[in-house]
């Protein structure tokens, strides 16, 4: 088998921990001896052993003289765990093939230096594009100090997210809703505006698939979140309420007393979304799934804070000039100013079609 084939296996097993390693990256490692895989490992959770350590422990003495395939440069520093590069040297690995270097400029290349200084052959760049896609969330967070943001919505064929009377459950089908809950499971946080909270009183939890509940973030400039709303009372997940410094103190205090964490972002009439994203990143929230209404969607797009869009299109036509649409706000006045997507994908989910794409950088 080729280096690409072994690396593809390392990339595959890295995904076993999707949504579980934040703020660390997804990493897979494979040890090969005499052309055969003798050990595998993947990073499971921040603070636990890295992929390389799991693989080395599985291989034991067979590591000596073997080749290690790893999806990311082995770490060279003491963090939550000891450096992997030193463990690889001590295990007697003779060759290391890595998909990509560490994106953190403070440590990039140091792991490879340790390996090469010990006489280990190092090859870098095998399936690098696939590895970067695997860790698009980590790459954004570690290089730009911002979370990776995905806007997700379900709409009819004519772009409506509710009828003229506000009915929205359910526009999409069961398979789409299950996949939406999978998205909640693999993201650190889910974000909505207070308008959606007041209209729907959602739980914002992962119920249709087995998984974890994301941190709930409510954009609520004036602290209008009711104390009896589900995100306050159910205690199923941490709830963060983002507001401005002008929010009424008595309401802020009441929400704090109910267990909500308060983030102040901006002094104006509305929450400064860029500041909010920066503060979420500081809390090691690396990925945010936006499931709000048209106003918050446009605000996020208008501030260039979105990385990816996922639209579940149901085979329904709702109509209504006043029916809500997926993106509202003031809108873009010129087509040249509109948000453009690239790397588009389409997936059939039951009767629905999931259309995905990445925001094209200006």
């Amino acid at each position: 088998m080729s280096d690409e084939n072994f690396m593809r296996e390392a990339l595959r097993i890295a995904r076993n921990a999707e949504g579980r390693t934040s703020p660390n990256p997804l990493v897979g490692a494979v040890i090969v001896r005499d052309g055969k895989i003798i050990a595998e490992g993947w990073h499971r959770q921040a603070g636990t052993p890295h992929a390389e350590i799991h693989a080395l422990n599985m291989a034991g003495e067979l590591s000596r003289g073997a080749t290690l395939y790893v999806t990311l440069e082995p770490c060279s520093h003491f963090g939550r765990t000891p450096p992997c590069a030193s463990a690889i040297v001590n295990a007697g690995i003779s060759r290391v093939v890595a998909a990509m270097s560490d994106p953190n400029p403070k440590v990039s290349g140091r792991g490879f230096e340790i390996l090469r200084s010990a006489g280990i052959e190092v090859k870098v760049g095998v399936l690098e594009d696939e590895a970067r896609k695997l860790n698009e969330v980590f790459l954004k967070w570690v290089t730009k100090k911002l979370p990776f943001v995905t806007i997700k919505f379900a709409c009819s064929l004519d772009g409506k997210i509710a009828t003229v009377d506000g009915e929205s459950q359910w526009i999409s089908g069961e398979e789409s809703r299950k996949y939406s809950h999978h998205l909640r499971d693999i993201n650190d946080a889910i974000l909505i505006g207070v308008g959606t909270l007041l209209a729907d009183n959602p739980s914002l939890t992962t119920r249709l698939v087995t998984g974890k509940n994301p941190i709930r973030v409510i954009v609520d400039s004036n602290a209008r979140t009711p104390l009896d709303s589900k995100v306050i009372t159910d205690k199923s997940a941490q709830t963060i309420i983002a507001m401005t410094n002008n929010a009424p103190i008595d309401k802020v205090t009441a929400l704090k007393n109910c267990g909500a964490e308060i983030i102040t972002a901006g002094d104006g009439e509305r929450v400064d979304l860029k500041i909010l994203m920066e503060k979420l990143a500081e809390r090691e929230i690396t990925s945010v799934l936006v499931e709000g209404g048209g106003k918050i969607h446009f605000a996020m797009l208008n501030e260039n804070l979105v990385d990816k869009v996922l639209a579940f299109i149901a085979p329904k036509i709702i109509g209504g000039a006043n029916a809500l649409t997926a993106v509202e706000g003031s809108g873009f006045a010129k087509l040249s100013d509109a948000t453009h997507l690239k790397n588009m994908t389409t997936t059939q989910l039951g009767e629905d079609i999931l259309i995905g794409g990445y925001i094209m950088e200006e």
Side-chain angles (χ1 to χ4, degrees):
M1 294 176 68
S2 65
D3 287 342
E4 287 76 12
N5 288 330
F6 290 125
M7 186 62 72
R8 195 164 283 111
E9 172 64 8
L11 290 166
R12 185 191 68 80
I13 63 174
R15 289 196 178 276
N16 287 337
E18 188 175 22
R20 301 294 179 270
T21 63
S22 180
N24 289 355
L26 291 164
V27 182
V30 171
I31 296 178
V32 174
R33 188 181 184 92
D34 298 327
K36 295 182 179 180
I37 295 175
I38 61 170
E40 295 185 341
W42 62 89
H43 183 43
R44 288 161 168 77
Q45 185 178 357
T48 65
H50 290 183
E52 301 94 317
I53 304 304
H54 283 297
L56 291 171
N57 288 341
M58 180 181 290
E61 284 299 314
L62 292 177
S63 295
R64 297 200 172 275
T67 297
L68 170 70
Y69 293 83
V70 63
T71 57
L72 184 67
E73 176 181 356
C75 64
S76 58
H77 60 288
F78 281 89
R80 291 181 171 92
T81 58
C84 292
S86 299
I88 293 168
V89 172
N90 294 335
I93 291 287
S94 63
R95 181 173 181 253
V96 171
V97 180
M100 60 179 289
S101 60
D102 192 318
N104 189 339
K106 295 181 180 180
V107 298
S108 180
R110 293 184 183 178
F112 295 142
E113 287 179 10
I114 292 173
L115 299 177
R116 289 187 174 109
S117 296
I120 296 174
E121 178 188 347
V122 176
K123 181 179 179 180
V124 184
V126 176
L127 300 186
E128 180 172 355
D129 289 345
E130 290 89 336
R132 297 183 72 84
K133 177 69 167 56
L134 172 75
N135 275 312
E136 59 189 10
V137 168
F138 177 72
L139 286 167
K140 169 82 178 291
W141 178 73
V142 79
T143 59
K144 297 187 177 181
K145 309 303 180 186
L146 290 169
F148 186 94
V149 176
T150 301
I151 282 181
K152 172 247 131 181
F153 56 84
C155 67
S156 63
L157 199 59
D158 55 336
K160 307 298 183 180
I161 61 172
T163 68
V164 69
D165 290 334
E167 183 181 353
S168 62
Q169 296 182 346
W170 300 101
I171 287 179
S172 60
E174 183 179 357
E175 289 190 37
S176 293
R177 296 197 297 274
K178 284 184 178 180
Y179 190 77
S180 294
H181 281 234
H182 165 70
L183 293 173
R184 292 181 180 186
D185 170 49
I186 65 174
N187 277 271
D188 291 346
I190 182 171
L191 180 148
I192 64 169
V194 69
T196 298
L197 180 76
L198 294 174
D200 299 336
N201 190 24
S203 299
L204 304 180
T205 54
T206 302
R207 304 181 303 280
L208 301 183
V209 298
T210 301
K212 64 174 177 58
N213 292 326
I215 296 169
R216 302 175 290 199
V217 181
I218 314 301
V219 179
D220 181 9
S221 301
N222 296 306
R224 294 191 292 152
T225 299
L227 299 183
D228 61 353
S229 59
K230 292 177 183 177
V231 297
I232 298 297
T233 61
D234 67 12
K235 309 302 179 185
S236 297
Q238 178 186 359
T239 297
I240 295 174
I241 302 179
M243 55 189 64
T244 70
N245 286 319
N246 299 321
I249 296 300
D250 58 332
K251 293 185 177 181
V252 175
T253 300
L255 288 167
K256 283 183 177 179
N257 290 340
C258 289
E261 179 183 351
I262 306 301
I263 291 181
T264 54
D267 300 315
E269 294 182 1
R270 298 185 181 280
V271 168
D272 187 314
L273 295 172
K274 175 68 180 302
I275 293 175
L276 172 59
M277 292 301 111
E278 291 171 346
K279 290 191 173 185
L280 293 179
E282 289 172 359
R283 287 164 169 76
E284 296 189 338
I285 293 175
T286 65
S287 58
V288 175
L289 179 67
V290 181
E291 280 195 20
K295 291 180 180 179
I296 194 73
H297 290 168
F298 177 74
M300 293 290 292
L301 290 166
N302 195 41
E303 292 292 328
N304 296 316
L305 295 172
V306 180
D307 299 283
K308 189 175 184 179
V309 175
L310 293 172
F312 296 82
I313 312 297
K316 298 179 176 74
I317 296 176
I318 294 174
N322 296 322
L324 298 176
T325 59
V327 182
E328 296 181 335
S330 60
F332 297 107
K334 299 179 181 179
L335 284 175
S336 58
D337 295 332
T339 299
H340 291 263
L341 303 182
K342 62 180 181 179
N343 300 333
M344 304 299 295
T345 60
T346 58
T347 306
Q348 188 87 30
L349 292 171
E351 294 184 343
D352 302 335
I353 296 175
L354 171 60
I355 300 177
Y358 291 86
I359 302 298
M360 188 176 295
E361 296 181 1
E362 297 179 353

